[in-house]
Amino acid sequence: MLTLNRLSPKTSKRLGVILFVVSCLTLVAALTLPFVTLPLAGTARAGLITGIAVLGELAFAASVALLGKEYVNKIKAYVVIPVAPFRSFFLGAGVVVWAVATLLLRFVGQYLLVPGNTPLTITAFVGVAIGMVLLMNILYRTRHVRESEKLLAATLFALPGMLFDAGTLFFFTDVFPNMPASAVRPEADSLFAAWLFCGYSFIILSGLITIRKPNRPA
């Protein structure tokens, strides 16, 4: 920090802009690398992507410190973040539910999603649909979410899991070695992806459906 304070305003501005551009490039790289062929194993590739993401966060934090509040406010002017009293709650709940569900699938997923077992597959899809709708309605009532705000709450809840599951799907065999997508079970990853889409779809659907109470006669 002392070193940064010794820089001239002009140098600080230039360095801040450079670091901001670097942070944007690292974000693009972290999102692109999973789809690029690299001479790295799954664990090494995941470590590289994580390192690039952390580097981007550090570069962004340093750029904010160098550019100051004036430029931060200019950046904020281009970004519209929904403000709601339940925003942090539903984002946090989405992360927690994703983590719990991922851990459960890591240990018992091979018994829940079995390619070729039609009755079990139907049960898994119906179960996640009903479970997500019931869970979301409980959360809506817990936080006293109005009907007009349900879609925002549902989106905030689903967003963390959708982002994280992009990684779990790409590194499927590393994250879920109990459900190998190999010659023995070639459809395990596809079935898992379809099950995920089903769950997230019903999360969003729970926010789209508005329940109106019938008017009682006076």
mmCIF file of all heavy atoms in Angstrom, residues 172-191:
data_model
loop_
_atom_site.group_PDB
_atom_site.id
_atom_site.type_symbol
_atom_site.label_atom_id
_atom_site.label_comp_id
_atom_site.label_asym_id
_atom_site.label_seq_id
_atom_site.Cartn_x
_atom_site.Cartn_y
_atom_site.Cartn_z
ATOM 1 N N PHE A 172 -16.954 -33.598 -14.978
ATOM 2 C CA PHE A 172 -17.900 -34.561 -14.417
ATOM 3 C C PHE A 172 -17.214 -35.767 -13.784
ATOM 4 O O PHE A 172 -17.495 -36.142 -12.651
ATOM 5 C CB PHE A 172 -18.866 -35.024 -15.515
ATOM 6 C CG PHE A 172 -19.908 -35.991 -15.033
ATOM 7 C CD1 PHE A 172 -21.029 -35.547 -14.354
ATOM 8 C CD2 PHE A 172 -19.766 -37.354 -15.252
ATOM 9 C CE1 PHE A 172 -21.989 -36.440 -13.904
ATOM 10 C CE2 PHE A 172 -20.723 -38.243 -14.810
ATOM 11 C CZ PHE A 172 -21.832 -37.792 -14.136
ATOM 12 N N THR A 173 -16.285 -36.374 -14.503
ATOM 13 C CA THR A 173 -15.648 -37.593 -13.996
ATOM 14 C C THR A 173 -14.743 -37.318 -12.803
ATOM 15 O O THR A 173 -14.494 -38.215 -11.998
ATOM 16 C CB THR A 173 -14.830 -38.272 -15.105
ATOM 17 O OG1 THR A 173 -13.900 -37.322 -15.661
ATOM 18 C CG2 THR A 173 -15.745 -38.777 -16.207
ATOM 19 N N ASP A 174 -14.250 -36.074 -12.682
ATOM 20 C CA ASP A 174 -13.406 -35.725 -11.536
ATOM 21 C C ASP A 174 -14.245 -35.422 -10.307
ATOM 22 O O ASP A 174 -13.881 -35.773 -9.184
ATOM 23 C CB ASP A 174 -12.519 -34.518 -11.870
ATOM 24 C CG ASP A 174 -11.544 -34.809 -12.986
ATOM 25 O OD1 ASP A 174 -10.891 -35.865 -12.917
ATOM 26 O OD2 ASP A 174 -11.437 -34.010 -13.920
ATOM 27 N N VAL A 175 -15.372 -34.737 -10.514
ATOM 28 C CA VAL A 175 -16.235 -34.361 -9.388
ATOM 29 C C VAL A 175 -17.068 -35.545 -8.917
ATOM 30 O O VAL A 175 -17.288 -35.740 -7.720
ATOM 31 C CB VAL A 175 -17.158 -33.186 -9.788
ATOM 32 C CG1 VAL A 175 -18.084 -32.812 -8.623
ATOM 33 C CG2 VAL A 175 -16.332 -31.976 -10.204
ATOM 34 N N PHE A 176 -17.534 -36.363 -9.873
ATOM 35 C CA PHE A 176 -18.392 -37.502 -9.544
ATOM 36 C C PHE A 176 -17.777 -38.806 -10.064
ATOM 37 O O PHE A 176 -18.288 -39.400 -11.022
ATOM 38 C CB PHE A 176 -19.793 -37.320 -10.135
ATOM 39 C CG PHE A 176 -20.492 -36.076 -9.693
ATOM 40 C CD1 PHE A 176 -20.682 -35.019 -10.572
ATOM 41 C CD2 PHE A 176 -20.958 -35.946 -8.392
ATOM 42 C CE1 PHE A 176 -21.329 -33.865 -10.167
ATOM 43 C CE2 PHE A 176 -21.600 -34.796 -7.972
ATOM 44 C CZ PHE A 176 -21.786 -33.746 -8.860
ATOM 45 N N PRO A 177 -16.715 -39.260 -9.455
ATOM 46 C CA PRO A 177 -16.131 -40.538 -9.890
ATOM 47 C C PRO A 177 -17.050 -41.715 -9.612
ATOM 48 O O PRO A 177 -16.848 -42.803 -10.175
ATOM 49 C CB PRO A 177 -14.846 -40.633 -9.051
ATOM 50 C CG PRO A 177 -15.108 -39.793 -7.852
ATOM 51 C CD PRO A 177 -15.968 -38.664 -8.330
ATOM 52 N N ASN A 178 -18.049 -41.511 -8.758
ATOM 53 C CA ASN A 178 -19.013 -42.578 -8.482
ATOM 54 C C ASN A 178 -20.034 -42.723 -9.604
ATOM 55 O O ASN A 178 -20.782 -43.692 -9.653
ATOM 56 C CB ASN A 178 -19.751 -42.308 -7.170
ATOM 57 C CG ASN A 178 -20.430 -40.946 -7.155
ATOM 58 O OD1 ASN A 178 -19.863 -39.956 -7.617
ATOM 59 N ND2 ASN A 178 -21.630 -40.886 -6.621
ATOM 60 N N MET A 179 -20.082 -41.736 -10.525
ATOM 61 C CA MET A 179 -20.994 -41.813 -11.673
ATOM 62 C C MET A 179 -20.177 -41.628 -12.958
ATOM 63 O O MET A 179 -20.324 -40.633 -13.660
ATOM 64 C CB MET A 179 -22.071 -40.733 -11.586
ATOM 65 C CG MET A 179 -22.999 -40.868 -10.407
ATOM 66 S SD MET A 179 -24.414 -39.733 -10.489
ATOM 67 C CE MET A 179 -23.595 -38.147 -10.322
ATOM 68 N N PRO A 180 -19.282 -42.565 -13.258
ATOM 69 C CA PRO A 180 -18.364 -42.367 -14.391
ATOM 70 C C PRO A 180 -19.069 -42.366 -15.732
ATOM 71 O O PRO A 180 -19.925 -43.205 -15.995
ATOM 72 C CB PRO A 180 -17.413 -43.566 -14.274
ATOM 73 C CG PRO A 180 -18.228 -44.619 -13.586
ATOM 74 C CD PRO A 180 -19.110 -43.882 -12.621
ATOM 75 N N ALA A 181 -18.731 -41.385 -16.550
ATOM 76 C CA ALA A 181 -19.249 -41.338 -17.922
ATOM 77 C C ALA A 181 -18.281 -42.099 -18.807
ATOM 78 O O ALA A 181 -17.503 -41.538 -19.558
ATOM 79 C CB ALA A 181 -19.379 -39.900 -18.390
ATOM 80 N N SER A 182 -18.288 -43.405 -18.701
ATOM 81 C CA SER A 182 -17.351 -44.255 -19.435
ATOM 82 C C SER A 182 -18.121 -45.170 -20.371
ATOM 83 O O SER A 182 -19.315 -45.003 -20.593
ATOM 84 C CB SER A 182 -16.521 -45.084 -18.448
ATOM 85 O OG SER A 182 -17.374 -45.914 -17.682
ATOM 86 N N ALA A 183 -17.418 -46.140 -20.899
ATOM 87 C CA ALA A 183 -18.077 -47.084 -21.794
ATOM 88 C C ALA A 183 -19.136 -47.892 -21.064
ATOM 89 O O ALA A 183 -20.093 -48.373 -21.652
ATOM 90 C CB ALA A 183 -17.029 -48.012 -22.413
ATOM 91 N N VAL A 184 -18.961 -48.028 -19.746
ATOM 92 C CA VAL A 184 -19.939 -48.787 -18.964
ATOM 93 C C VAL A 184 -21.221 -47.997 -18.792
ATOM 94 O O VAL A 184 -22.325 -48.531 -18.887
ATOM 95 C CB VAL A 184 -19.333 -49.136 -17.587
ATOM 96 C CG1 VAL A 184 -20.339 -49.921 -16.748
ATOM 97 C CG2 VAL A 184 -18.054 -49.945 -17.779
ATOM 98 N N ARG A 185 -21.079 -46.676 -18.555
ATOM 99 C CA ARG A 185 -22.264 -45.839 -18.351
ATOM 100 C C ARG A 185 -22.108 -44.596 -19.219
ATOM 101 O O ARG A 185 -21.855 -43.496 -18.720
ATOM 102 C CB ARG A 185 -22.390 -45.461 -16.882
ATOM 103 C CG ARG A 185 -22.324 -46.657 -15.946
ATOM 104 C CD ARG A 185 -22.462 -46.238 -14.494
ATOM 105 N NE ARG A 185 -23.841 -45.941 -14.173
ATOM 106 C CZ ARG A 185 -24.231 -45.533 -12.967
ATOM 107 N NH1 ARG A 185 -23.371 -45.358 -12.013
ATOM 108 N NH2 ARG A 185 -25.507 -45.274 -12.729
ATOM 109 N N PRO A 186 -22.244 -44.713 -20.519
ATOM 110 C CA PRO A 186 -21.978 -43.591 -21.422
ATOM 111 C C PRO A 186 -22.962 -42.443 -21.289
ATOM 112 O O PRO A 186 -22.691 -41.354 -21.773
ATOM 113 C CB PRO A 186 -22.053 -44.238 -22.813
ATOM 114 C CG PRO A 186 -22.976 -45.400 -22.625
ATOM 115 C CD PRO A 186 -22.686 -45.916 -21.238
ATOM 116 N N GLU A 187 -24.099 -42.661 -20.644
ATOM 117 C CA GLU A 187 -25.118 -41.620 -20.571
ATOM 118 C C GLU A 187 -25.216 -40.984 -19.195
ATOM 119 O O GLU A 187 -26.133 -40.213 -18.934
ATOM 120 C CB GLU A 187 -26.482 -42.212 -20.954
ATOM 121 C CG GLU A 187 -26.530 -42.795 -22.365
ATOM 122 C CD GLU A 187 -27.868 -43.457 -22.656
ATOM 123 O OE1 GLU A 187 -28.696 -43.524 -21.732
ATOM 124 O OE2 GLU A 187 -28.078 -43.896 -23.789
ATOM 125 N N ALA A 188 -24.304 -41.261 -18.295
ATOM 126 C CA ALA A 188 -24.406 -40.753 -16.933
ATOM 127 C C ALA A 188 -24.332 -39.238 -16.887
ATOM 128 O O ALA A 188 -25.122 -38.585 -16.205
ATOM 129 C CB ALA A 188 -23.304 -41.366 -16.069
ATOM 130 N N ASP A 189 -23.378 -38.644 -17.624
ATOM 131 C CA ASP A 189 -23.244 -37.197 -17.600
ATOM 132 C C ASP A 189 -24.425 -36.503 -18.263
ATOM 133 O O ASP A 189 -24.885 -35.454 -17.804
ATOM 134 C CB ASP A 189 -21.924 -36.760 -18.243
ATOM 135 C CG ASP A 189 -21.725 -37.382 -19.619
ATOM 136 O OD1 ASP A 189 -22.530 -38.253 -20.003
ATOM 137 O OD2 ASP A 189 -20.773 -36.987 -20.308
ATOM 138 N N SER A 190 -24.948 -37.081 -19.361
ATOM 139 C CA SER A 190 -26.109 -36.500 -20.041
ATOM 140 C C SER A 190 -27.344 -36.550 -19.148
ATOM 141 O O SER A 190 -28.121 -35.590 -19.091
ATOM 142 C CB SER A 190 -26.387 -37.237 -21.351
ATOM 143 O OG SER A 190 -25.277 -37.166 -22.214
ATOM 144 N N LEU A 191 -27.518 -37.648 -18.453
ATOM 145 C CA LEU A 191 -28.657 -37.789 -17.551
ATOM 146 C C LEU A 191 -28.546 -36.789 -16.398
ATOM 147 O O LEU A 191 -29.534 -36.168 -16.002
ATOM 148 C CB LEU A 191 -28.716 -39.218 -17.003
ATOM 149 C CG LEU A 191 -29.870 -39.549 -16.051
ATOM 150 C CD1 LEU A 191 -31.215 -39.312 -16.733
ATOM 151 C CD2 LEU A 191 -29.760 -40.996 -15.576
#
